[in-house]
């Protein structure tokens, strides 16, 4: 597979053959099946860790142990299916994020993507030497130039500049790092967030001689989109929504069908019990919640630090697990703003090949355009 003309994404000593990272998708949407398929195509496959232990017998009695075991199994399973580059996505909002980070490192994961929180400081239990010895690379997922600048400065001070940054814009799926007002602000676009961050990252490189690769995410759908962002100076792209409708995606067929069937007007911003807005495919479950209905649940563990358990109308973990298993009476699917454009299920290989040919076409026409100027 080749994406000609791209300067090459490099995260620490990991050099994927293609500049595509598959965004982590919880609960259970990107596990070993999808992650290994992307890694086999030369990209970076990412296992989502949210709720990963839900098939373990002790998920209700000992969430932390179940998640640790579930994660270890999934990493090892993915490793048995690929020699490519594998990452995990760990949301800092998860109450057991530290245990997940350690487990992933100890199981030899290549890259950890830290999302849903601002890691201004690394947890004090994580010594820099421990991170370095593990060989694992740390990549925060951020939603603003300001956050990126602060993280660059703060991590530089502790002598561990981030190995890359994923900039996730407002068109992404799942929980979003923006308020509802920000989501309506036309000035807040991935392009603008990227340009501003790139400027600072360039200064940072000049000042310290450290290049921090910037990866863009949120709404990237075609090879043309990939070409446009790489042309702007991005080092790679992260894509999630596009990989749901693949045979290798770990979700139930019914989850994929929700993507095939949804229309643009079905993609809604919802208020998640986690306290963040999220983008999802609207359905009866969400309509009932909006109408004030409470969905009964028990919460033996507060799995998300920011969850308002006393007032939450439903358990987001449970709703997402039901959706992963294809039960949309009791759950709903997160999806990016382009989900309505997904109209068939393909193999990851075919999808990556079509992205590559679209990319090459777009590159050719942008070169022609430069020549004609
Ligand atoms: C179904 C779904 C589940 C997601 N779950 C997570 C998650 O668990 N953690 C996370 O950091 N991001 C999550 N995301 C965000 C993606 O990783 C990704 O950055 C984003 O969706 C990229 O935009 P795109 O879907 O338009 O390609 C999820 C996205 C989707 C569509």
């Amino acid at each position: 597979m080749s994406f000609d003309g791209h300067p090459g994404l490099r995260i620490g000593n990991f050099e994927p053959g293609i500049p595509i990272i598959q965004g982590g998708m919880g609960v259970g949407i990107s596990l070993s099946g999808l992650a290994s398929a992307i890694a086999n195509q030369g990209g970076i496959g990412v296992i989502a860790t949210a709720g990963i232990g839900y098939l373990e017998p002790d998920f209700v009695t000992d969430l932390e142990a179940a998640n640790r075991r579930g994660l270890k199994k999934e990493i090892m399973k993915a490793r048995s299916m690929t020699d490519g580059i594998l990452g995990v996505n760990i949301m800092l909002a998860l109450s057991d994020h530290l245990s997940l980070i350690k487990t992933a490192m100890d199981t030899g994961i290549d890259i950890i993507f830290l999302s849903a929180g601002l890691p201004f400081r690394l947890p004090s239990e994580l010594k820099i030497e421990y991170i370095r010895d593990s060989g694992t690379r740390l990549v925060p997922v951020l939603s603003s130039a300001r956050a990126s600048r602060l993280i660059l400065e703060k991590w530089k001070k502790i002598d561990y500049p981030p190995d890359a940054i994923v900039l996730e814009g407002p068109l992404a799926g799942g929980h979003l790092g923006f308020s509802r007002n920000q989501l309506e602000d036309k000035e807040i676009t991935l392009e603008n967030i990227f340009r501003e961050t790139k400027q600072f990252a360039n200064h940072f490189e000049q000042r310290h001689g450290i290049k921090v690769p910037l990866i863009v995410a949120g709404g990237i759908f075609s090879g043309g989109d990939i070409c446009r962002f790489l042309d702007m100076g991005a080092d790679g792209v992260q894509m999630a929504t596009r990989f749901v409708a693949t045979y290798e995606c770990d979700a139930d067929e019914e989850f994929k069908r929700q993507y095939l069937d949804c229309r643009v007007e079905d993609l809604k911003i919802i208020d998640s019990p986690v306290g963040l807005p999220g983008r999802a495919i609207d359905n009866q479950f969400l309509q009932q919640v909006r109408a004030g209905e409470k969905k009964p649940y028990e919460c033996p563990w507060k799995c998300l630090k920011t969850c308002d358990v006393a007032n939450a109308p439903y358990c987001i973990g449970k709703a997402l697990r039901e959706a992963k298993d294809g039960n949309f009476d009791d759950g709903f699917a997160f999806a990016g703003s382009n989900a309505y454009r997904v109209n068939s299920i393909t193999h990851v290989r075919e999808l990556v090949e079509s992205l590559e040919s679209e990319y090459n076409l777009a590159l050719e026409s942008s070169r022609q355009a430069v020549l004609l100027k």
Side-chain angles (χ1 to χ4, degrees), residues 23-26 89 91 115 168 171-174 218-220 238-241 259 334-336:
M25 290 181 278
N89 170 284
M91 302 201 306
S115 66
E168 193 185 74
L171 299 181
I220 292 160
Q238 171 167 299
M239 298 168 71
T241 293
Y259 272 53
F334 271 144

Side-chain angles (χ1 to χ4, degrees), residues 26-42:
V27 172
I29 312 301
S30 69
L31 298 175
S32 53
L34 183 58
S36 63
I38 312 274
N40 279 332
Q41 295 309 310

Side-chain angles (χ1 to χ4, degrees), residues 45-319:
V46 179
I47 295 168
T49 62
I52 195 154
Y54 94 110
L55 288 178
E56 297 296 313
D58 49 352
F59 187 61
V60 175
T61 52
D62 191 348
L63 176 108
E64 201 172 307
N67 280 341
R68 262 200 313 267
R69 210 176 312 110
L71 175 57
K72 206 169 168 180
K73 279 187 191 167
E74 217 47 50
I75 294 176
M76 285 162 64
K77 194 165 162 200
R79 280 274 180 244
S80 73
M81 294 159 88
T82 184
D83 294 327
I85 306 172
L86 290 172
V88 294
N89 170 284
I90 299 179
M91 302 201 306
L92 293 160
L94 293 170
S95 16
D96 60 342
H97 69 268
L98 186 60
S99 147
L100 291 167
I101 293 174
K102 284 184 171 165
T103 306
M105 285 182 171
D106 295 345
T107 317
I109 199 71
D110 300 323
I111 304 170
I112 297 180
F113 296 88
L114 295 169
S115 66
L118 291 174
F120 287 140
R121 280 177 302 133
L122 287 172
S124 53
E125 296 86 338
L126 271 187
K127 298 274 171 274
I128 301 295
E129 299 73 43
Y130 175 72
I131 302 173
R132 290 219 173 91
D133 289 350
S134 73
T136 300
R137 301 296 167 157
L138 294 185
V139 177
V141 180
L142 305 169
S143 291
S144 72
R146 184 167 177 273
S148 308
R149 184 169 56 75
L150 288 171
I151 299 279
L152 277 176
E153 282 169 352
K154 288 186 187 286
W155 286 33
K156 170 74 184 65
K157 274 198 191 133
I158 54 165
D159 201 22
Y160 193 94
D163 292 299
I165 290 176
V166 173
L167 291 167
E168 193 185 74
L171 299 181
H175 289 120
L176 302 168
F178 301 93
S179 66
R180 274 186 177 263
N181 283 345
Q182 286 173 324
L183 288 170
E184 278 161 24
D185 185 337
K186 299 268 178 294
E187 288 303 306
I188 302 184
T189 61
L190 179 59
E191 286 79 353
N192 287 345
I193 296 168
F194 171 74
R195 276 191 208 97
E196 209 184 317
T197 310
K198 177 79 184 156
Q199 238 177 17
F200 185 78
N202 285 345
H203 287 311
F204 187 83
E205 186 175 353
Q206 281 159 14
R207 250 194 353 250
H208 305 292
I210 301 166
K211 177 179 163 63
V212 177
L214 297 182
I215 295 143
V216 288
I220 292 160
F221 194 79
S222 67
D225 297 335
I226 300 176
C227 183
R228 191 161 56 83
F229 275 103
L230 295 191
D231 249 10
M232 284 168 65
D235 297 276
V237 299
Q238 171 167 299
M239 298 168 71
T241 293
R242 199 68 207 274
F243 288 116
V244 168
T246 59
Y247 293 107
E248 293 85 352
C249 168
D250 297 273
D252 186 87
E253 295 306 303
E254 187 47 42
F255 191 99
K256 300 174 192 178
R257 172 126 313 272
Q258 296 274 319
Y259 272 53
L260 301 184
D261 292 349
C262 77
R263 301 158 303 168
V264 67
E265 59 271 30
D266 298 325
L267 293 158
K268 289 252 157 60
I269 299 297
I270 62 160
D271 292 313
S272 152
V274 180
L276 290 170
R279 182 172 281 106
I281 301 176
D282 202 19
N283 69 356
Q284 206 180 11
F285 177 91
L286 289 171
Q287 284 154 16
Q288 287 165 347
V289 168
R290 276 203 298 278
E293 212 175 283
K294 290 221 168 209
K295 306 283 180 182
Y297 64 91
E298 280 175 30
C299 179
W301 293 92
K302 196 175 163 209
C303 67
L304 285 154
K305 284 189 292 187
T306 47
C307 186
D308 180 5
V309 180
N311 299 307
Y314 64 94
C315 165
I316 181 113
K318 179 174 183 302

